[in-house]
Amino acid sequence: MKITVRETPKGMEVYVAKKDLEELIVASEKPGVWGGWARLSNGWTFAMPDLDAPKLPITVDARRLSVE
């Protein structure tokens, strides 16, 4: 699933265009969210690609692991 990750004053945020969804990242497996899982404020969890501190905003292909 294509998602856009960007930095906001509240923290890192994910935008999912196909769902018209904007949610904050509230937890992650690794600092900086890259290379592990990232949980959104709505409960969705994504497997994030392993990137070395990319310039934000960036659109990536991430796999959704759960819908809670």
Side-chain angles (χ1 to χ4, degrees), residues 7-64:
E7 188 68 44
T8 68
K10 295 180 181 179
M12 293 186 91
E13 183 178 73
V14 168
Y15 175 69
V16 183
K18 285 190 173 192
K19 302 290 184 184
D20 194 29
L21 175 77
E22 287 183 15
E23 297 289 337
L24 288 174
I25 297 174
V26 295
S28 62
E29 181 178 359
K30 297 182 178 180
V33 307
W34 304 110
W37 55 262
R39 184 166 295 120
L40 307 184
S41 57
N42 70 349
W44 289 13
T45 303
F46 284 96
M48 302 297 285
D50 192 13
L51 302 174
D52 291 327
K55 184 174 178 180
L56 299 178
I58 186 170
T59 300
V60 297
D61 196 18
R63 188 170 52 103
R64 190 168 64 180

